[in-house]
């Protein structure tokens, strides 16, 4: 009851404010749900991030099935699959036929590059004899086309009609039946195709090598014959009389294809460089595609009495120690008094060298820190070759396997190496439709010791574990080849792609370097690559030979190397060779009378420049590439690439959930703080209970006797009227009205409970 009728009191529901906001059950439920959300986000983040960093450590590769196991699965193909003579690429075609039918088989054959523009299946037969006349007659009698014959190599083409007949008969193995039964065939393999050395990206080089000074004194290559050996000469007819001489002698050794209809203008661009430097040299063009055709082309050039062969093509398949087939071809040619100039290769950034490592014993090579995959990004049709140090011995057998971005096997090369004379190499050619990434793996099928790998990839970028050293290709590895590296024309910096030595038998290569980046009418843009550097040396050699007709090929090489501008470490090295090409000043004994009418080719691409100095050019704008010592083998880099990924993975997997989790904790703390403030404010908002004497006049004396006071609503004890607490039980009189209204005290925490509540709002204890 209100003892002060003159003072209006608040309603009972205002004495203790109603629960609201976070103080309600719904509020606390919302807090719980938000907490669960943060915890869930942290867990999901860790689950998503971890695979990105630890995939390479968690990936388990299934060893590829052996040919014996595949033969058990397809017993009708056992004779083909277990034939050591047949290249594994052709075996894959038969397996594709069994799994997906004729359409799948032909599609795979085209992806492998086994089918030519005439829809013929191309093969190379390797014989144990150079006498192939009888064998050729037998093959032609079966309807098989003979496209090239050179020494012990026979290129053949099986018409698509014969393939379809064999497929429709349900016995695709009949395709090779006429071949396998013939004598003298030791291998049925892929035709080995040359690879051009061009990168398109500019400059003028005559003054850089002092060729302009030599031309001014009448040395233009007159009387010297240069053979350009290349993969194609498209557009050459359009440049006759302008960027090429009025007369060239040309011949194609590619079956059924003219040398200017190959789809490849590379040889024309090479000839254009030669003509700029040696405009009066006589040029001979020879086009080829396979190694058998290459031998025929070389024989023809030698028969034309060429003095120099300029070859800006290389092979990534071979021992790379000067003992391979192409290297031997160079040796035979040089022995006929011919100077062979070859590009060193553009493989410094697309090459891997390493010793076989298999710490977990599953047969797969571990490139670095346990990683069994090496990634790359393809650019269209890719060729890759895995070579190792057991050439011609046949006592070590490795496989080359290609995987997609999900680490699923796409194709593999699994040739059988088990006999003397077997190539210690695997080769894959495959057409890609996207940029990947894709992955490469090496698998030890049968080994007795750790092998040394020499892996190359053509038209593949961003090779994960590249090794610039030992990236010299064939036939630049030949002792008889004058091998040429690439330096940028304006500052003498070694191009990052230029292949480095030494050869695998420890010899210094390249022998010399020359400018690249010259203007090219053929390409319509600057001509980059060691392909552009090699013809500089070929043409410069023609000028030297004109001045010194008594020189032998080796004397011409010595002349060029002695005058080269030494770059990198002092002396010859495996980056620049003897240095950058520089003809130097014409000596008094070399002077020749100026021709009555100096030969000038129309529309010269050169911009007049001052005569070059024999000292290195400025290197202000480019960073030099360090050379490599020729003697020690390069250590396999055990750098921190994978370790860094591991550290980043740990940081990411801990940091991300940690940040999210701490954010959640902070948010919950903030909510708790708001809740605490709400509780405090609710207490502060409780109205004071009207006390006896309130509402009287100020001059009216207060009664201080116990009888004038009021009894405690809890225990009934009489207290003074001004007392704030009960002198017996200690209750605060400000809650007196609440107690009178039926509020009760919690037996657990001592707080007051609203009438009718089943639970204490402070401690949660059940009240009844």
């Amino acid at each position: 009851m209100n003892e002060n009728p003159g003072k209006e009191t608040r309603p009972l529901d205002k004495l203790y404010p109603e629960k609201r906001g976070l103080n309600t059950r719904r509020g606390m439920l919302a807090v719980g749900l938000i907490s669960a959300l943060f915890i869930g986000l942290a867990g999901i983040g860790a689950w998503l991030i971890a695979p990105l960093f630890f995939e390479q450590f968690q990936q388990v590769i299934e060893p590829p099935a052996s040919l014996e196991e595949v033969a058990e699965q397809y017993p009708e193909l056992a004779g083909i699959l277990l034939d050591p003579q047949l290249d594994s690429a052709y075996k894959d075609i038969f397996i594709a036929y069994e799994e997906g039918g004729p359409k799948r088989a032909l599609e795979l054959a085209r992806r492998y590059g086994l089918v030519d523009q005439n829809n013929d299946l191309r093969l190379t037969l390797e014989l144990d004899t150079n006498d192939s006349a009888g064998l050729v007659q037998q093959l032609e009698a079966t309807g098989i086309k003979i496209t090239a014959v050179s020494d012990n190599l026979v290129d053949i083409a099986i018409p698509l009609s014969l393939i379809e007949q064999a497929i429709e008969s349900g016995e695709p193995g009949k395709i090779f039946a006429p071949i396998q039964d013939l004598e003298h065939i030791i291998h049925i393999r892929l035709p080995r195709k040359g690879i051009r050395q061009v990168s398109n990206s500019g400059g003028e080089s005559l003054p850089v090598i002092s060729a302009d000074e030599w031309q001014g004194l009448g040395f233009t290559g007159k009387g010297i014959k240069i053979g350009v050996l290349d993969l194609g000469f498209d557009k050459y007819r359009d440049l006759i009389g302008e960027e090429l001489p009025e007369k060239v002698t040309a011949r194609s050794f590619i079956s059924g294809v003219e040398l200017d209809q190959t789809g490849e203008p590379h040889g024309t661009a090479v000839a254009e460089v030669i003509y700029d430097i040696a405009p009066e040299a006589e040029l001979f063009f020879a086009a080829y595609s396979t190694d058998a055709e290459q031998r025929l082309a070389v024989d023809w050039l030698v028969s034309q009495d060429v003095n120099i062969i300029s070859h800006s093509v290389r092979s990534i398949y071979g021992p790379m120690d000067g003992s391979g087939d192409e290297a031997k071809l160079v040796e035979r040619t040089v022995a006929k008094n011919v100077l062979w100039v070859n590009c060193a290769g553009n493989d410094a950034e697309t090459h891997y060298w390493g010793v076989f490592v298999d710490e977990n014993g599953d047969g797969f090579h571990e490139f670095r820190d346990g990683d069994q995959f090496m990634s790359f990004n393809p650019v269209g049709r890719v060729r890759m070759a895995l070579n190792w140090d057991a050439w011609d011995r046949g006592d070590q057998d490795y496989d080359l396997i290609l995987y997609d971005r999900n680490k699923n096997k796409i194709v593999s090369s699994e040739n059988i190496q088990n006999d003397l004379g077997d190539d210690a190499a695997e080769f894959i050619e495959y057409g890609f439709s996207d940029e990947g990434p894709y992955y490469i793996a090496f698998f030890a099928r049968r080994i007795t010791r750790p092998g040394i790998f020499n892996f190359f990839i053509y038209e593949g970028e961003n090779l994960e574990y590249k090794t610039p050293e030992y990236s010299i290709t064939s036939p630049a590895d030949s002792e008889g080849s004058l091998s040429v590296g690439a330096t940028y024309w304006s500052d003498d910096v070694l191009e990052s792609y230029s292949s480095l030595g030494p050869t695998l038998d420890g010899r210094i290569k390249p022998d010399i370097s020359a400018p690249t980046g010259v203007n090219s009418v053929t390409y319509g843009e600057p001509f980059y690559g060691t392909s552009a550097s090699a013809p500089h040396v070929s043409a410069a050699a023609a000028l030297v030979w004109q001045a010194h007709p008594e020189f032998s090929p080796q004397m011409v090489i010595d002349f060029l190397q002695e005058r080269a501008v030494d770059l990198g470490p002092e002396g010859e090295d495996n980056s620049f060779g003897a240095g950058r090409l520089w003809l130097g000043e014409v000596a008094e004994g070399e002077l020749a009378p100026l021709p009555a009418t100096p030969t000038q080719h129309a529309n010269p691409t050169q911009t007049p420049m001052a005569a070059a100095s024999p000292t290195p050019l400025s290197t202000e704008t480019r960073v030099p590439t360090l050379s490599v010592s020729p003697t020690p083998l390069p250590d396999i880099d055990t750098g921190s690439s994978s370790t860094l990924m591991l550290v980043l993975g740990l940081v990411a997997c801990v940091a991300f959930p940690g940040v999210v989790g701490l954010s959640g904790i902070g948010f919950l703390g903030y909510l708790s703080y708001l809740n605490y403030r709400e509780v405090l404010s609710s207490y502060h908002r409780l109205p004071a209970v009207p006390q006896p004497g309130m509402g009287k006049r100020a001059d009216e004396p207060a009664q201080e006797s116990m009888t004038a006071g009021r009894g405690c609503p809890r225990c009934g004890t009489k207290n003074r009227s001004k007392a704030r607490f009960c002198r017996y039980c200690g209750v605060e009189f400000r809650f007196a009205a609440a107690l009178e209204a039926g509020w009760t005290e919690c037996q657990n925490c001592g707080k007051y409970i609203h009438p009718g509540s089943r639970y204490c709002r402070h401690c949660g204890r059940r009240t009844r």
Side-chain angles (χ1 to χ4, degrees):
M1 178 180 294
N2 188 355
E3 298 184 5
N4 189 358
K7 181 70 174 179
E8 181 181 358
T9 59
R10 291 187 177 186
L12 183 62
D13 59 351
K14 299 298 183 181
L15 290 176
Y16 205 103
E18 181 183 0
K19 292 185 289 183
R20 58 183 178 177
L22 298 176
N23 285 331
T24 64
R25 293 182 184 177
R26 291 183 179 179
M28 298 307 294
L29 179 61
V31 171
L33 291 176
I34 293 174
S35 303
L37 176 62
F38 274 101
I39 295 172
L41 287 175
I44 292 173
W47 180 72
L48 291 176
I49 291 176
L52 299 178
F53 291 93
F54 303 123
E55 180 179 2
Q56 60 176 318
F57 301 101
Q58 300 170 349
Q59 186 74 32
V60 177
I61 318 177
E62 290 294 333
S66 65
L67 290 174
E68 289 78 7
E69 293 171 335
V70 179
E72 291 179 2
Q73 184 178 359
Y74 302 108
E76 65 277 12
L77 298 178
I80 292 176
L81 297 178
L82 300 179
D83 185 356
Q85 296 179 339
L86 186 62
D87 192 282
S88 69
Y90 300 106
K91 299 175 183 179
D92 287 346
I93 303 302
F94 289 107
I95 296 174
Y97 170 80
E98 292 293 334
E99 294 178 345
K103 184 177 180 180
R104 170 60 181 153
L106 289 175
E107 177 188 354
L108 187 60
R110 288 190 170 90
R111 278 189 176 270
Y112 278 8
L114 304 180
V115 179
D116 63 14
Q117 61 268 39
N118 298 320
N119 280 329
D120 293 337
L121 185 67
R122 299 295 300 272
L123 306 92
T124 294
L125 307 181
E126 194 170 332
L127 313 180
D128 59 5
T129 177
N130 289 343
D131 184 7
S132 58
L135 179 68
V136 168
Q137 291 180 355
Q138 291 176 294
L139 290 172
E140 289 177 333
T142 64
I144 293 176
K145 301 177 184 178
I146 308 299
T147 61
V149 179
S150 178
D151 298 330
N152 69 324
L153 299 182
V154 179
D155 283 353
I156 65 173
I158 302 178
L160 187 61
S161 58
L162 294 181
I163 299 174
E164 290 175 341
Q165 290 175 12
I167 290 176
E168 290 173 358
S169 69
E171 299 181 46
K174 288 183 177 180
I175 296 174
F176 294 111
I179 304 173
Q180 291 174 306
D181 296 337
L182 298 177
E183 295 181 355
H184 302 297
I185 297 177
I186 57 177
H187 287 114
I188 304 173
R189 61 171 174 81
L190 300 172
R192 293 176 193 157
K193 302 174 183 178
I195 296 175
R196 61 187 176 91
Q197 299 288 304
V198 60
S199 301
N200 293 325
S201 161
E204 303 305 336
S205 57
L206 263 69
V208 176
I209 65 174
S210 74
D212 57 340
E213 181 180 345
W214 281 60
Q215 287 182 1
L217 294 174
F219 296 104
T220 58
K222 187 174 183 178
I224 306 300
K225 295 181 178 181
I226 302 177
V228 182
L229 180 65
D230 216 289
L231 303 178
F233 294 84
D234 286 19
K235 301 182 181 180
Y236 91 92
R237 298 181 191 274
D238 299 334
L239 303 184
I240 292 292
E242 295 183 359
E243 300 300 327
L244 295 176
E246 292 285 353
K247 176 186 176 183
V248 297
T249 304
R251 182 174 174 182
S252 173
F253 291 86
I254 305 173
S255 177
V257 180
E258 294 296 326
L259 79 167
D260 61 344
Q261 297 176 0
T262 62
E264 179 58 75
H266 185 258
T268 305
V270 170
E272 188 183 340
V273 174
I274 294 175
Y275 183 60
D276 284 343
I277 300 170
E280 288 195 304
E282 189 175 353
L283 300 186
F284 295 79
F285 297 167
Y288 75 95
S289 177
T290 69
D291 47 351
E293 295 167 350
Q294 181 190 35
R295 296 183 186 184
L296 294 175
V298 171
D299 290 343
W300 176 75
L301 289 174
V302 172
S303 72
Q304 302 301 308
D305 296 323
V306 298
N307 306 101
I308 302 167
I309 290 180
S310 186
H311 186 232
S312 288
V313 183
R314 100 295 198 190
S315 172
I316 59 175
Y317 185 100
M320 310 306 172
D321 60 1
S323 65
D325 291 340
E326 273 199 281
K328 292 177 182 177
L329 174 63
V330 172
E331 298 293 339
R332 293 195 300 269
T333 305
V334 170
K336 298 174 182 177
N337 207 38
V338 175
L339 173 62
W340 187 296
V341 180
N342 213 99
C343 61
N346 295 352
D347 301 283
E349 297 179 310
T350 55
H351 166 257
Y352 170 79
W353 182 97
V355 179
F356 177 72
V357 176
D358 182 20
E359 293 184 355
N360 62 7
D362 64 353
F364 283 93
H365 172 58
E366 297 166 11
F367 292 94
R368 188 181 301 167
D369 298 336
D371 189 2
Q372 297 176 329
F373 293 105
M374 179 165 59
S375 65
F376 72 98
N377 298 101
V379 183
R381 180 168 294 278
V382 172
R383 301 176 195 174
M384 60 185 73
L386 172 63
N387 312 287
W388 60 91
D389 62 333
W391 209 266
D392 291 333
R393 296 202 297 269
D395 60 345
Q396 310 294 315
D397 191 352
Y398 292 93
D399 295 337
L400 174 61
I401 309 172
L402 178 62
Y403 295 88
D404 64 16
R405 67 180 64 209
N406 297 318
K407 310 295 176 61
N408 298 314
K409 176 183 171 182
I410 303 176
V411 296
S412 62
S413 179
E414 303 177 29
N415 291 315
I416 300 172
Q417 288 93 16
N418 62 1
D419 200 0
L420 290 175
D422 288 344
D423 294 347
E426 299 288 349
F427 181 86
I428 290 177
E429 179 175 348
Y430 194 79
F432 293 88
S433 58
D434 59 41
E435 297 180 356
Y438 290 86
Y439 298 88
I440 299 160
F442 306 157
F443 180 73
R445 181 67 65 184
R446 180 182 56 83
I447 63 172
T448 59
R449 58 173 176 80
I452 299 177
F453 297 128
N454 204 25
F455 173 82
F456 296 86
I457 184 168
Y458 174 68
E459 297 293 12
E461 298 178 342
N462 305 317
L463 189 66
E464 185 174 6
Y465 300 118
K466 60 186 177 184
T467 311
E469 299 85 358
Y470 295 93
S471 56
I472 288 289
T473 50
S474 189
D477 63 327
S478 170
E479 290 190 43
S481 168
L482 178 56
S483 305
V484 187
T487 55
Y488 188 60
W489 73 273
S490 69
D491 58 15
D492 280 350
V493 170
L494 188 73
E495 292 291 349
S496 61
Y497 53 75
S498 185
S499 290
L500 306 183
T503 60
L504 289 187
D505 59 337
R507 289 175 289 111
I508 292 179
K509 287 285 182 175
D511 301 297
I512 198 170
S513 300
T516 188
V518 294
N519 285 331
S520 172
V521 175
T522 302
Y523 283 116
E525 57 186 350
F527 182 18
Y528 261 62
T530 55
S531 279
S533 301
H536 279 80
V537 175
S538 301
L543 303 188
V544 173
W545 230 331
Q546 180 187 0
H548 295 280
E550 75 282 3
F551 274 8
S552 67
Q554 185 58 50
M555 294 173 71
V556 174
I557 294 175
D558 293 341
F559 181 96
L560 295 175
Q561 288 186 307
E562 288 171 2
R563 295 201 175 190
V565 178
D566 190 12
L567 301 172
E570 185 176 355
E572 294 187 47
D573 58 73
N574 285 304
S575 298
F576 300 93
R580 190 256 299 149
L581 174 67
W582 190 69
L583 289 169
E585 297 179 356
V586 181
E588 184 175 348
E590 297 167 341
L591 289 177
L594 284 171
T597 305
T599 302
Q600 298 289 337
H601 49 282
N603 301 324
T605 60
Q606 289 75 23
T607 302
M609 297 176 63
S613 167
T615 56
L617 299 176
S618 169
T619 59
E620 294 180 357
T621 59
R622 297 167 70 89
V623 180
T625 302
L626 296 178
S627 62
V628 184
S629 173
T631 47
L633 294 177
D635 294 331
I636 299 178
D637 185 7
T638 57
S640 58
S641 174
S642 298
T643 304
L644 178 61
M645 292 298 290
L646 177 61
V647 173
L648 291 176
L650 290 172
V651 171
C653 291
V654 172
F656 179 79
V659 169
V660 175
L662 290 176
S663 300
I665 293 173
F667 181 71
L668 292 177
Y670 179 67
L671 294 180
S672 299
Y673 170 70
L674 294 179
N675 185 42
Y676 175 70
R677 289 189 58 185
E678 177 71 17
V679 173
L680 287 181
S681 63
S682 68
Y683 281 112
H684 289 305
R685 289 194 299 268
L686 285 173
V689 178
Q691 299 295 323
M694 292 183 65
K696 295 183 179 182
R697 294 192 306 272
D699 58 350
E700 185 176 349
Q703 297 181 7
E704 298 295 335
S705 65
M706 294 294 294
T707 57
R710 61 177 300 177
C712 175
R714 174 192 283 178
C715 63
T717 303
K718 290 291 185 178
N719 292 274
R720 296 172 59 183
S721 60
K722 292 184 178 181
R724 295 178 57 194
F725 301 93
C726 175
R727 62 188 178 86
Y728 181 79
C729 68
V731 68
E732 188 176 2
F733 289 137
R734 65 183 296 197
F735 297 112
L739 293 171
E740 291 177 352
W743 288 58
T744 59
E745 185 178 8
C746 177
Q747 298 301 316
N748 181 56
C749 65
K751 303 293 183 180
Y752 295 104
I753 304 172
H754 192 280
S757 296
R758 299 173 58 192
Y759 298 91
C760 175
R761 63 184 297 274
H762 302 285
C763 68
R765 176 66 65 85
R766 188 180 181 90
T767 61
R768 56 184 177 182

